[in-house]
Amino acid sequence: MSSKDWIGTREAADLMGVSQRTIQKWVDSGLLKSSKTLGGHRRLDFREVLAYARAREGILGNDNPVVPKLDDNLLRVVLVEDDPVFRQLCQLQMEGFRVPHQLHIAGNGYQGMRMVGAIRPHLLLTDLRMPGIDGFEMIRELRSAKDLADMRIVVITGLDAAEIFNRGGLPEDVTILPKPLPVDTLENIFQQRAVTLGLQLKKA
């Protein structure tokens, strides 16, 4: 292959919309193969990076996921969860909430980050244990974005406090809810967020 077939970690990060740290993690875990130049710089096969991006999301070539028209009168919510059964459960439970909202669903952390970038949600709900980019890494990436500082993050997880701590912990402003889904608590969070934003609730 020619030199044009190889890219650096910064180029790969820009291409996939993640940080260099994330690319490095994927390389270290064997998800992406790399080689080193004589000068010690890491290089990645451009075609392999493209293939991995397509496998992770299936929409490479768009700057952002295709999303429906956003309504400023609705609470924008993104749910990131790799378990399809739990996703469906969450969706059914949220349909009964008093807070009018738009729910957007992603099946993994990579999709979640791209969806958050496109939608700018008021509320992010996410699992922690997911393949590829997990919830810990996704939250770190999103919290580093200054334009997302107002987004509230709620983790819904089966991990206990000790497991979360041992895996690096979470930012102090992240709310942690246990699985199975605590429906009443989550609805209260929806209502608090809606009131803060000045959104109208459905009549009881």
Side-chain angles (χ1 to χ4, degrees):
M1 290 187 293
S2 71
S3 60
K4 293 182 180 179
D5 294 318
W6 298 90
I7 59 175
T9 55
R10 166 49 61 192
E11 294 170 290
D14 291 342
L15 176 67
M16 299 185 74
V18 299
S19 70
Q20 281 184 280
R21 181 179 59 192
T22 295
I23 296 295
Q24 184 63 55
K25 179 179 178 180
W26 289 347
V27 170
D28 292 342
S29 64
L31 293 173
L32 286 174
K33 295 180 182 179
S34 70
S35 62
K36 285 189 176 181
T37 65
L38 294 176
H41 299 291
R42 194 175 295 278
R43 309 296 287 172
L44 293 87
D45 182 341
F46 178 63
R47 289 175 296 184
E48 183 176 300
V49 173
L50 285 178
Y52 184 68
R54 292 190 181 100
R56 294 300 304 159
E57 189 170 8
I59 60 169
L60 193 69
N62 297 324
D63 289 335
N64 290 305
V66 176
V67 297
K69 183 177 180 181
L70 302 178
D71 188 336
D72 291 336
N73 296 313
L74 301 177
L75 186 72
R76 295 194 299 274
V77 182
V78 168
L79 170 66
V80 186
E81 170 62 59
D82 65 322
D83 183 343
V85 175
F86 191 73
R87 288 200 303 263
Q88 186 176 26
L89 172 64
C90 290
Q91 187 171 7
L92 289 173
Q93 294 288 358
M94 292 174 199
E95 286 175 358
F97 287 1
R98 289 184 58 207
V99 178
H101 62 276
Q102 282 185 317
L103 178 63
H104 308 270
I105 298 176
N108 57 60
Y110 180 53
Q111 288 181 351
M113 287 194 295
R114 297 289 292 274
M115 190 170 286
V116 165
I119 294 169
R120 295 292 193 271
H122 304 117
L123 183 61
L124 171 65
L125 313 175
T126 183
D127 192 8
L128 292 176
R129 287 186 289 199
M130 293 182 289
I133 297 180
D134 60 19
F136 292 96
E137 187 172 356
M138 181 185 68
I139 290 171
R140 284 195 294 269
E141 291 283 344
L142 295 176
R143 273 293 175 251
S144 67
K146 294 181 180 180
D147 58 339
L148 296 172
D150 292 336
M151 178 181 67
R152 182 166 180 182
I153 299 177
V154 176
V155 163
I156 306 173
T157 181
L159 298 179
D160 60 29
E163 290 175 300
I164 293 173
F165 177 81
N166 290 335
R167 295 182 63 170
L170 294 167
E172 293 182 358
D173 63 342
V174 172
T175 301
I176 302 174
L177 301 180
K179 287 185 177 179
L181 181 67
V183 178
D184 291 342
T185 302
L186 185 58
E187 183 170 14
N188 286 336
I189 291 172
F190 269 59
Q191 292 184 10
Q192 292 168 6
R193 196 76 183 97
V195 169
T196 300
L197 295 167
L199 302 177
Q200 294 294 319
L201 304 181
K202 297 177 184 177
K203 294 182 180 179

